[in-house]
Amino acid sequence: MRQRILILLAGIALPFLMSDAVAGQATVPPISQEEAASTVGGGPAEASHNFSFVRYRADYVVNADATSSETDEYEIRIDTKSGVDQFSQVRLSYSEKMETLEVLEAYTLTTDGQRHDVPQDKIYTQESYSSASAAMYADRKVKVIVFPNLAPGHRLVYRIQRQQLTPYFPGYFGLWETFSVFFAFEDARVTLTAPSNLPIHLYTRGVRGSERSRVSAGKVRWEWRYSRPEPMPNQNWSAATWEYSPVIMASTFSDYSQVGRAYQAKAAEAARVTPKIQAQADAITAGMEGRREQADAIYQWVAQNIRYVAVYLGNGGLEPNPADSILDNRYGDCKDHTVILEAMLAAKGIASTPVLIGADSGPHLPNVALLERFNHAINYLPEFDLYLDSTSPYARFGQLPGSDLGTPVVHTADGRITRTPADDSRLNYVEAEVKFDFVRDGDVSGQTRLNNGPSGEVAQRSVFAGLNAQNRARIEESIMAVSGFNGNGRLALHGDPQDLEAPFSFSYQFQASDYVDFDVVGGMTLPDIPGADSMRRAYASTASERNLVPFYCNDDLREETYVLTFPDGVPIIAVPKDSQFENRAGAYSARWSRQGQTVTVTHRLHGHAVHGEEHMCRPEDYPAFRDLYQSVRRGFRGQILYGDLSHMQTSLRAGR
């Protein structure tokens, strides 16, 4: 469970849809948690899900040079209003420089059999917003189909053809079809045809089709079928769907080292040290003797002066721009960042290599070597054994954003397969301390102080770097409202979020009125932490008794310390006993102490990567997490008892 400060909460996204960044994956438009949960509403005619794939066809034809064509056909029945909202537009991503995408036909079928074709002016092309999350493919466009006359019960049909005119790498073809268990497929079929002398490495799971291919006239052909009329109910916790759903994977590359070397063949020339690059590197490191100091300075300069934009300027695909042009433009995508950082480091004699990474994509690589697993590029410096992601202007030298941690990577210079540093409790931790000072009339003031750990600090800097007076005031107001206090507060920054030389954190000072009535005997559970997201709500994510699919579980740590000072003259009758709980999912403890009018309690929750950092948790591990989080819920029920017992009624008779 990755804890986040309150102001970073941005909702929950479903993890089971594949990215549309690269052709060759079965994709549908993204859906929200509410849209996917098909049980909202009521009544006997309620649909069991929002839509169904009535018919799906994907036919791949590969040529000897690894160019290819793909013809896809979708027939989708819309069952709910949410389905209508989702499919009113269908977005199809492609690389305009390396492939073509043609909409062969698109229409809506109404319940009475009428066909409404999509007019040509309702099929248009726009820039791909997906490039921001998959900047390895930053030259992408999106073809948008806007369907008319769409209503529950109607079907939409579209057929498209992609022509891969230039392979992403010479000799590379990849196919990746994932049939999410959360979607209904009534009739799906995938075929693959290739020259019989072209090496094709295959992996399938959960689909029907012979492992033996059919060979005729120098061509080899495979065919797979799949059907799941009723989708699996939505699950609280889920790894990426391809990890456990039916899949078809094919690649002409034998291993991931070959993927890395193919990238290096394109990128090495772009990172050549030129006089302009040498001059800039010398200027950045003027007066610096230490090599680590020089590397740090160059990294900071690139991170803060080369603007990260996912708009490609050069040949397209996976070929970065030359370092000189990146320096002139002062912006580039992730490939360009790795190029200019590599070139400037080389200018000072510091070796580095580009690294292909699937940011925020889990701990595994697919069973065959698929380029599509990687959506990002960073750098590795072997001299210091450090990974650097200069696309993040808020990561200090040696830090990585949380999305880059604990994931397999390919070093392109030598094809080495390894992993980034583990996303464990050494990096993934949160320490929160909050002080509440009560006065006799029930008002309270205090301060929250957070330490979000190295990975959390990166995200924290990003948030605060964008603050202005107006949005700061809105955040300060919302923190108090969400925490349940009637009052106001003020953020205080400790350090400059854009200064990568020093640590950064923040605190929140607050005051609230009429929080408690000390004129009566009462019991107080621990107040919410203004400005932080408490572990006390972890149980909400395990509301279901079972979880049917694998999920990611990291080694992480959360510690919350509450210091409550009561006014003189208000007796503190009792505080709870210490408690603790431990199972294979983790350990939780609550430690209480009292000194005079001050009560201090520390809640500590340490979650475990049950099967190690390189492995997912399994459905049978879920009950242990549920028990662990329920123990946290019970721990926060403890109350501080206060007040003058002489003011209490001891019986109904005494009150008459």
Side-chain angles (χ1 to χ4, degrees):
M1 181 186 66
R2 180 182 294 279
Q3 300 286 344
R4 292 181 283 267
I5 61 175
L6 177 67
I7 60 177
L8 291 180
L9 292 178
I12 302 173
L14 284 178
F16 56 74
L17 291 180
M18 300 298 295
S19 167
D20 72 344
V22 182
Q25 300 183 24
T27 63
V28 298
I31 66 177
S32 68
Q33 185 84 14
E34 291 77 14
E35 291 169 330
S38 57
T39 58
V40 176
E46 182 182 10
S48 62
H49 37 267
N50 290 329
F51 62 90
S52 297
F53 291 95
V54 176
R55 175 183 167 86
Y56 173 67
R57 296 289 184 268
D59 298 309
Y60 296 84
V61 177
V62 189
N63 303 314
D65 61 356
T67 60
S68 62
S69 67
E70 173 190 350
T71 304
D72 297 333
E73 180 181 345
Y74 292 84
E75 182 178 343
I76 302 169
R77 184 181 62 247
I78 306 302
D79 297 320
T80 66
K81 177 61 168 63
S82 292
V84 172
D85 294 340
Q86 179 184 345
F87 284 97
S88 59
Q89 294 184 2
V90 169
R91 300 171 56 86
L92 306 165
S93 175
Y94 68 102
S95 166
E96 67 171 348
K97 291 183 171 64
M98 306 189 75
E99 61 183 320
T100 62
L101 174 61
E102 181 183 0
V103 179
L104 303 177
E105 60 179 341
Y107 56 91
T108 302
L109 285 176
T110 63
T111 52
D112 59 3
Q114 295 185 50
R115 170 171 167 159
H116 298 271
D117 289 292
V118 177
Q120 283 301 312
D121 63 351
K122 299 303 181 184
I123 302 174
Y124 57 93
T125 303
Q126 63 180 212
E127 298 292 336
S128 171
Y129 58 69
S130 70
S131 291
S133 59
M136 282 277 287
Y137 312 95
D139 67 327
R140 302 195 73 76
K141 299 287 187 181
V142 169
K143 191 152 286 190
V144 182
I145 308 173
V146 183
F147 284 90
N149 300 89
L150 207 56
H154 293 184
R155 301 186 183 197
L156 61 89
V157 179
Y158 63 96
R159 191 162 58 93
I160 63 173
Q161 186 173 73
R162 301 175 185 271
Q163 295 283 347
Q164 187 77 39
L165 304 177
T166 305
Y168 284 103
F169 296 138
Y172 174 77
F173 166 80
L175 180 159
W176 187 348
E177 295 274 353
T178 296
F179 298 98
S180 169
V181 295
F182 300 106
F183 298 152
F185 288 87
E186 296 181 14
D187 178 18
R189 187 191 71 182
V190 177
T191 64
L192 170 61
T193 303
S196 57
N197 60 353
L198 186 69
I200 297 287
H201 304 273
L202 290 171
Y203 173 78
T204 64
R205 178 181 61 228
V207 296
R208 301 188 307 274
S210 173
E211 291 299 321
R212 292 185 177 182
S213 56
R214 287 183 285 175
V215 180
S216 176
K219 299 286 186 180
V220 59
R221 186 177 187 273
W222 293 266
E223 179 176 324
W224 301 276
R225 294 181 180 273
Y226 173 73
S227 177
R228 187 189 180 108
E230 286 297 322
M232 179 182 289
N234 202 38
Q235 302 296 298
N236 281 349
W237 292 4
S238 174
T241 340
W242 70 264
E243 300 264 25
Y244 53 84
S245 289
V247 294
I248 303 167
M249 298 175 177
S251 174
T252 55
F253 278 12
S254 59
D255 55 35
Y256 285 99
S257 294
Q258 189 176 358
V259 175
R261 290 190 294 270
Y263 180 89
Q264 184 71 9
K266 284 177 173 279
E269 178 59 25
R272 185 171 57 87
V273 179
T274 65
K276 187 183 295 185
I277 290 293
Q278 185 70 59
Q280 184 65 57
D282 290 343
I284 293 169
T285 59
M288 299 179 184
E289 297 296 331
R291 292 170 62 78
R292 189 183 181 96
E293 182 185 16
Q294 291 177 346
D296 188 350
I298 289 171
Y299 161 74
Q300 286 195 44
W301 188 92
V302 171
Q304 297 186 330
N305 290 276
I306 303 299
R307 187 160 46 95
Y308 175 48
V309 295
V311 178
Y312 204 78
L313 304 176
N315 297 325
L318 298 180
E319 186 171 345
N321 290 290
D324 273 1
S325 69
I326 303 166
L327 184 59
D328 290 339
N329 292 318
R330 297 295 176 99
Y331 63 79
D333 65 8
C334 65
K335 302 185 295 294
D336 297 333
H337 267 260
T338 63
V339 159
I340 193 168
L341 182 56
E342 180 184 7
M344 285 192 175
L345 290 170
K348 305 307 296 182
I350 301 171
S352 67
T353 175
V355 172
L356 304 183
I357 181 173
D360 224 2
S361 298
H364 297 148
L365 292 174
N367 295 64
V368 297
L370 287 166
L371 167 65
E372 292 83 352
R373 176 60 173 79
F374 305 106
N375 60 11
H376 193 39
I378 61 177
N379 295 78
Y380 175 72
L381 282 58
E383 182 174 342
F384 310 112
D385 191 24
L386 283 180
Y387 290 92
L388 302 176
D389 186 346
S390 62
T391 66
S392 172
Y394 306 109
R396 300 168 66 191
F397 186 72
Q399 281 183 336
L400 285 177
S403 60
D404 289 351
L405 292 171
T407 189
V409 294
V410 179
H411 293 201
T412 68
D414 57 9
R416 186 162 65 100
I417 314 299
T418 183
R419 305 179 68 84
T420 53
D423 186 20
D424 60 22
S425 56
R426 293 170 298 179
L427 302 176
N428 182 13
Y429 65 84
V430 178
E431 297 172 336
E433 182 182 70
V434 58
K435 295 182 178 180
F436 297 97
D437 295 313
F438 297 96
V439 295
R440 191 64 180 79
D441 64 2
D443 292 353
V444 62
S445 61
Q447 176 178 271
T448 299
R449 189 74 184 254
L450 282 180
N451 175 5
N452 277 278
S455 61
E457 181 188 345
V458 178
Q460 189 172 274
R461 286 176 183 270
S462 174
V463 170
F464 284 104
L467 280 186
N468 56 42
Q470 183 177 17
N471 57 28
R472 176 195 287 258
R474 292 290 300 275
I475 290 172
E476 290 172 341
E477 291 172 3
S478 66
I479 287 175
M480 292 302 287
V482 171
S483 301
F485 291 95
N486 179 27
N488 55 77
R490 182 174 61 85
L491 288 166
L493 307 189
H494 304 285
D496 181 347
Q498 295 181 311
D499 178 10
L500 300 185
E501 296 287 348
F504 173 79
S505 63
F506 81 97
S507 61
Y508 182 73
Q509 297 175 339
F510 58 89
Q511 47 278 324
S513 61
D514 193 27
Y515 184 77
V516 61
D517 184 357
F518 287 122
D519 291 330
V520 299
V521 174
M524 178 190 294
T525 58
L526 294 174
D528 268 346
I529 309 176
D533 184 29
S534 174
M535 72 174 77
R536 70 183 72 192
R537 296 182 184 86
Y539 73 90
S541 68
T542 57
S544 298
E545 292 187 6
R546 296 185 304 159
N547 203 79
L548 301 178
V549 298
F551 54 92
Y552 301 132
C553 51
N554 295 328
D555 175 66
D556 57 15
L557 179 65
R558 174 85 188 204
E559 189 169 280
E560 300 173 11
T561 298
Y562 299 76
V563 181
L564 301 91
T565 300
F566 290 79
D568 293 336
V570 174
I572 299 175
I573 301 170
V575 298
K577 293 182 178 179
D578 292 348
S579 62
Q580 61 184 30
F581 178 89
E582 186 170 0
N583 64 11
R584 70 177 187 275
Y588 164 72
S589 64
R591 306 295 183 195
W592 294 79
S593 66
R594 175 190 170 191
Q595 186 170 5
Q597 290 297 99
T598 297
V599 175
T600 301
V601 56
T602 297
H603 292 265
R604 190 176 191 271
L605 176 61
H606 187 179
H608 293 165
V610 177
H611 304 289
E613 289 292 339
E614 298 184 17
H615 301 282
M616 299 182 295
C617 276
R618 304 161 188 158
E620 57 266 30
D621 298 318
Y622 174 81
F625 284 92
R626 192 167 192 262
D627 290 345
L628 176 65
Y629 290 177
Q630 289 296 332
S631 76
V632 177
R633 183 185 192 184
R634 290 189 292 270
F636 273 88
R637 289 175 178 167
Q639 296 185 352
I640 304 169
L641 302 183
Y642 59 85
D644 188 343
L645 288 176
S646 66
H647 295 168
M648 288 283 291
Q649 295 182 142
T650 58
S651 69
L652 287 175
R653 185 176 186 85
R656 291 174 179 170

